[in-house]
Amino acid sequence: MQDSAVGSVSGATTYVCASVCAKLCAKVGMLIGTLLSITACSPQASNPTLNAAAQPQRPNIVVLFADDMGYGDLSSYGHPYIRTPEIDELARQGQRWTDFYVASSVCSPSRGALLTGRLPVRTGIYGNAIRVYFPDEPWGMPSSEVTLAEALQDRGYKTGMFGKWHLGDGPDALPTRHGFDEWFGVPYSNDMNWVGEPDFEALVKLSMSGDVEKQAMYYARRSAKYAEPKESYWEAPLITSRKAAGEYVDTIEQPAAQSTLTKRYTEEAIKFINKSGTNPFFLYVPYTMPHTPLFRSPEFEGKSLGGRYGDVVEEIDWSVGAIQDALKKAGVLENTLVVFSSDNGPWLKMHEEGGRAGLLRHGKGTTYEGGMRVPTVFSWPGTLPSGVVSEIGSTLDLFATVMALTKMPEDAAVTSGVDGFDLTATLLEKTASPRQEMPFYRGGSLYAYRKGPWKMHFITEGAYDEGEKRTKHNIPQLYHLLRDPSERFDVAEKYPEVMADLLAAAADHQQSVDIQPPLFDRRLMPR
Ligand code: MG
């Protein structure tokens, strides 16, 4: 099938932090545990900006989120041919994180986790049979979820989103119904509106029919179109959405010229910055690219040494620079936290049209490092000390971190985002990250678990239906990620104590999660 904690100083935050710290302290030793509990988990210690005199203004928050960009696709992350001077500069004067994760190796669950600070298995925004949302989706982003945009709206922020949503295309699921004042973008992936090809429902029927020959024919034809993309092969809808006089107004342009998307998102983002004035704002730019099919503006055609994929990444780099310039011109650069990241690893099956995860193993769709560790840069001139950070962080933590950074004494407690940690102290003072552990889920199953430098695989599997078959390991695999970032050498037999420790940590984690039924799979149930 095709592709396709809370930062407030609230009682709830303290509870989450304290319980995690208690577990850590018991397991990693008194000294380290004590240090962590003081430097990382104490809400007061973790948020130096709470001092109103030092930081009287609420900072603007800008999240720039590439689609399917691999860990190795930026010059600052080691790509030899793709030139990304703007993101590299952001990393040079800000922070380049080496161990930053998304909560899922595919689009929709990853995006849901970023916006809610909750694991996909906790929100239900995932699937076991269907891995992402498809067009005409009846069960998009649940209204019960509190998004980062909603939480920031409550604090007086203007909120704008310019780019790909992929959390349901039903009227109640769209971004303007979940905290964004305005949205300009595509509702799902750019390869979901094929012209002259079977749609989602037809593919499901075909898949259930067992007609393997016909399926192979369709997929071969699609592969050829991905490899030599033309705009006429797809008809992505581009939606402009806002609320006027109490009513939602959604205007659809279809088809949208895909080669214009990165540029138009950028232009709309800059307009949003300029009209926000002195009002604090949350700007979310989830680029449609470099998810295949790859399209770029004419001025980027053939620009990169790295082929069409390189052109597309270099246009995103241009966009990051243009948004930085706009922040500078608006006089708000030094009061703005900018985060650049990617929603999952590279789509390796696309060959030259997909990216690379550098020295990390595998890519999109898997729970290997290449699927879920993503290039991530934080920048806030004058506030963040610069450097390379090799602490563990996750998009799950952005909710908590942003809530902490934007909190004023009058703000109500926030109880959302329970799967994240407040990374403020790590960002501002380079202390140890409060996140010492990371679960790796595929659908509703825990495939792997990281604690400190160690990662344990309970189940391994290739992406989609390709490559390595699903294998459950009676003796889990164990890798030391610092010494072996490519997950090549299983050292389980050598470290029985580490094995016991990680098994216990993963079991504790599993006990803490009440797994919800997968929303995506509801489409396969009889209605
Ligand atoms: Mg993606």
Side-chain angles (χ1 to χ4, degrees):
M1 188 145 296
Q2 139 180 272
D3 161 39
S4 320
V6 188
S8 81
V9 287
S10 67
T13 304
T14 310
Y15 169 76
V16 170
C17 221
S19 72
V20 174
C21 264
K23 285 180 191 172
L24 277 172
C25 295
K27 288 189 174 147
V28 296
M30 286 293 283
L31 178 61
I32 297 172
T34 305
L35 280 172
L36 278 175
S37 66
I38 293 169
T39 60
C41 286
S42 157
Q44 286 80 2
S46 69
N47 188 0
T49 58
L50 287 178
N51 180 338
Q55 190 67 39
Q57 256 183 307
R58 295 188 200 261
N60 305 307
I61 307 295
V62 176
V63 176
L64 310 173
F65 208 42
D67 193 351
D68 293 6
M69 180 182 281
Y71 190 79
D73 288 336
L74 301 171
S75 350
S76 38
Y77 279 79
H79 200 289
Y81 307 120
I82 299 176
R83 310 279 195 249
T84 51
E86 300 292 348
I87 301 169
D88 300 345
E89 175 60 15
L90 214 59
R92 191 195 62 74
Q93 44 90 354
Q95 295 176 5
R96 182 170 70 81
W97 282 55
T98 61
D99 291 50
F100 202 86
Y101 292 98
V102 284
S104 169
S105 66
V106 289
C107 292
S108 303
S110 170
R111 287 151 197 269
L114 180 149
L115 287 175
T116 63
R118 308 214 303 148
L119 281 165
V121 286
R122 210 186 286 278
T123 59
I125 303 174
Y126 73 98
N128 289 314
I130 299 176
R131 299 189 70 183
V132 295
Y133 280 126
F134 279 80
D136 306 317
E137 172 60 51
W139 295 285
M141 169 68 89
S143 56
S144 53
E145 291 298 326
V146 177
T147 68
L148 182 55
E150 286 170 319
L152 287 172
Q153 265 182 340
D154 285 348
R155 292 186 176 179
Y157 276 66
K158 287 188 183 300
T159 56
M161 174 178 162
F162 308 96
K164 170 178 164 180
W165 175 237
H166 214 178
L167 288 166
D169 60 337
D172 295 339
L174 297 179
T176 40
R177 281 66 162 178
H178 291 276
F180 288 98
D181 301 331
E182 56 181 300
W183 170 49
F184 173 90
V186 293
Y188 34 70
S189 295
N190 57 333
D191 62 342
M192 288 186 164
N193 295 84
W194 292 83
V195 174
E197 298 283 345
D199 64 8
F200 173 75
E201 306 292 349
L203 279 179
V204 169
K205 274 189 199 145
L206 182 61
S207 170
M208 291 164 100
S209 73
D211 189 340
V212 181
E213 216 168 282
K214 203 168 186 183
Q215 283 180 56
M217 186 269 288
Y218 278 132
Y219 285 117
R221 201 164 71 191
R222 285 182 172 213
S223 292
K225 289 181 177 176
Y226 279 120
E228 288 296 336
K230 291 183 182 160
E231 290 199 325
S232 57
Y233 294 160
W234 295 271
E235 47 182 359
L238 185 63
I239 301 176
T240 304
S241 182
R242 63 194 165 83
K243 204 171 190 177
E247 298 288 324
Y248 291 109
V249 182
D250 305 314
T251 313
I252 300 180
E253 173 188 329
Q254 189 172 24
Q258 292 212 37
S259 59
T260 66
L261 288 179
T262 299
K263 190 188 258 184
R264 293 179 74 185
Y265 293 163
T266 309
E267 289 166 355
E268 294 298 322
I270 291 170
K271 276 189 222 162
F272 173 77
I273 291 169
N274 291 337
K275 74 182 177 196
S276 291
T278 55
N279 200 103
F281 60 82
F282 171 42
L283 167 63
Y284 177 43
V285 185
Y287 297 99
T288 285
M289 301 292 155
H291 188 290
T292 46
L294 298 175
F295 291 103
R296 69 289 198 215
S297 304
E299 50 268 50
F300 284 89
E301 276 180 31
K303 182 172 177 289
S304 174
L305 293 172
R308 186 159 33 221
Y309 188 86
D311 289 350
V312 165
V313 172
E314 291 188 14
E315 185 167 18
I316 289 174
D317 185 69
W318 161 82
S319 169
V320 171
I323 289 170
Q324 280 290 103
D325 285 348
L327 293 169
K328 211 178 289 172
K329 278 186 196 140
V332 298
L333 188 65
E334 294 190 346
N335 191 38
T336 303
L337 172 71
V338 177
V339 186
F340 178 88
S341 192
S342 177
D343 72 333
N344 51 251
W347 205 358
L348 299 177
K349 72 179 277 189
M350 293 296 159
H351 301 173
E352 288 184 3
E353 299 292 295
R356 297 295 298 172
L359 49 58
L360 302 182
R361 185 166 174 177
H362 228 305
K364 173 176 177 171
T366 77
T367 46
Y368 287 111
E369 291 292 294
M372 292 174 64
R373 200 197 292 196
V374 286
T376 302
V377 169
F378 287 85
S379 168
W380 186 353
T383 298
L384 293 195
S386 61
V388 177
V389 177
S390 289
E391 295 293 322
I392 305 174
S394 169
T395 45
L396 282 166
D397 304 327
L398 291 182
F399 194 114
T401 306
V402 168
M403 286 293 97
L405 289 171
T406 60
K407 188 172 188 318
M408 292 288 174
E410 66 272 23
D411 289 331
V414 174
T415 55
S416 310
V418 295
D419 289 307
F421 290 89
D422 172 7
L423 301 178
T424 308
T426 313
L427 286 167
L428 300 185
E429 299 174 345
K430 292 193 162 178
T431 60
S433 172
R435 177 176 288 285
Q436 292 293 308
E437 302 183 15
M438 183 69 205
F440 297 73
Y441 281 91
R442 178 165 171 150
S445 303
L446 185 69
Y447 270 45
Y449 201 81
R450 176 172 178 176
K451 180 176 176 185
W454 299 98
K455 183 175 174 188
M456 176 176 273
H457 289 270
F458 310 105
I459 306 170
T460 51
E461 187 175 357
Y464 306 100
D465 298 327
E466 295 189 328
E468 186 187 350
K469 290 247 178 307
R470 185 181 195 275
T471 308
K472 192 167 182 198
H473 300 279
N474 292 330
I475 301 172
Q477 296 179 340
L478 183 72
Y479 298 97
H480 189 289
L481 291 177
L482 275 57
R483 300 196 284 252
D484 179 20
S486 305
E487 298 171 279
R488 291 184 300 164
F489 307 108
D490 177 7
V491 292
E493 284 185 12
K494 277 174 72 178
Y495 296 98
E497 286 168 15
V498 173
M499 292 286 282
D501 189 44
L502 260 81
L503 282 169
D508 281 355
H509 163 74
Q510 284 182 294
Q511 275 194 344
S512 74
V513 183
D514 178 18
I515 294 185
Q516 295 303 301
L519 283 171
F520 307 166
D521 293 350
R522 290 179 71 165
R523 291 188 77 168
L524 296 179
M525 294 175 186
R527 278 189 263 165

